[in-house]
Amino acid sequence: MPLRLLGGVAIRLRAPREPPPEFARSYGDLDFVTTRRARRDVPAFFRDRGYEPHTSFNALHGQERLLFFDTENDRQVDVFVGSFSMCHRIPLDDRLELDPISIPLAELLLTKLQVIELNEKDVRDTLSLLLDHPVGEEDGDMLNAAQVARLCADDWGLWRTITQNLTICRGYAETFELAPEVRSLAEERLDALLERIEAEPKSRAWRLRARIGDRKRWYELPEEVRR
């Protein structure tokens, strides 16, 4: 059963070294992605490991997302199915098995930056990811800027949010107490990613949606799930 991590835990496990003190944080919930084909195997997998399903949520949303709880440790597990959908949809089904631990670094970055109201935790995770991995045109331990650019070039709304949040992260990089060479590297990789996104030829759908711009909401507002 393909099951790959995303979120802060995935960023930490893919890091080649300990994070700078400025980016160290605790981790509570666990987030995974599985394929559409494997979705039916997920409930038994987590039930056998002591997790209780969120029965009503899973009945309504199980085609896209499943929730489980570890009551003893006060921990929640989210399992996204085929894609990551919050403020924007990030397709994952065809790229899920490129790495044995997490979703690819390109999509890992996008899942962090797709939120319309970026918080400091997301900024720290984004900068940590970029400091740990070079920006290039391949997957593996390199952040595939070509994949990020392709997804943004097909979806004006995603482009709008991602480029906005990359710019916000660049501003934050100046406020953290980082060594000058570390800050310079973060800014260099943020700029390289923004430049690669802008250089990618945009689809016809992107250009048509760009004409409307901010006059129409370009993102979803995910519902808050309570146990």
Side-chain angles (χ1 to χ4, degrees):
M1 182 182 66
L3 198 63
R4 299 295 185 271
L5 279 162
L6 65 152
V9 175
I11 291 172
R12 180 67 188 88
L13 289 178
R14 292 294 302 272
R17 62 186 69 85
E18 289 290 322
E22 295 80 8
F23 299 146
R25 69 176 182 88
S26 60
Y27 303 98
D29 300 340
L30 294 168
D31 300 310
F32 293 92
V33 182
T34 192
T35 61
R36 294 183 184 89
R37 181 177 296 180
R39 178 185 64 83
R40 295 184 183 277
D41 298 327
V42 171
F45 176 86
F46 282 101
R47 186 172 57 247
D48 291 346
R49 286 154 180 81
Y51 288 84
E52 301 173 6
H54 190 313
T55 307
S56 59
F57 181 91
N58 292 354
L60 287 171
H61 304 284
Q63 295 294 327
E64 297 179 349
R65 184 182 173 196
L66 297 159
L67 288 180
F68 303 91
F69 298 101
D70 176 358
T71 305
E72 183 177 345
N73 295 296
D74 191 26
R75 189 162 50 203
Q76 177 176 314
V77 165
D78 282 69
V79 181
F80 295 88
V81 180
S83 64
F84 177 88
S85 296
M86 285 294 185
C87 295
H88 297 277
R89 179 180 177 276
I90 313 297
L92 291 165
D93 216 39
D94 294 336
R95 287 171 51 82
L96 198 59
E97 298 187 58
L98 292 179
D99 185 87
I101 295 174
S102 78
I103 62 175
L105 296 176
E107 282 83 359
L108 194 50
L109 179 80
L110 290 175
T111 59
K112 275 291 168 185
L113 293 177
Q114 57 78 43
V115 292
I116 196 61
E117 294 183 357
L118 202 65
N119 60 41
E120 189 170 314
K121 179 185 69 175
D122 295 321
V123 172
R124 290 177 186 272
D125 282 346
T126 297
L127 293 176
S128 183
L129 181 63
L130 285 167
L131 286 170
D132 283 332
H133 304 280
V135 173
E137 301 283 305
E138 300 176 1
D139 293 303
D141 288 328
M142 180 179 290
L143 199 152
N144 190 338
Q147 176 67 4
V148 173
R150 279 193 293 269
L151 291 174
C152 288
D154 285 337
D155 183 340
W156 182 88
L158 182 66
W159 169 88
R160 175 72 172 82
T161 298
I162 296 302
T163 54
Q164 170 183 281
N165 285 342
L166 284 170
T167 302
I168 290 172
C169 287
R170 200 185 190 291
Y172 261 100
E174 300 174 1
T175 68
F176 295 133
E177 295 182 3
L178 301 172
E181 64 274 13
V182 174
R183 182 182 297 110
S184 178
L185 179 61
E187 292 172 347
E188 176 186 317
R189 290 178 175 174
L190 285 163
D191 290 343
L193 197 51
L194 281 165
E195 290 171 10
R196 183 64 181 82
I197 291 170
E198 294 307 312
E200 184 74 9
K202 306 301 188 286
S203 68
R204 183 173 182 272
W206 188 99
R207 295 194 301 273
L208 289 172
R209 179 61 183 84
R211 295 177 184 175
I212 301 171
D214 293 359
R215 296 194 303 274
K216 179 180 178 181
R217 197 178 76 189
W218 65 93
Y219 53 87
E220 298 296 326
L221 294 173
E223 62 176 304
E224 182 179 354
V225 181
R226 296 184 182 275
R227 189 171 179 183

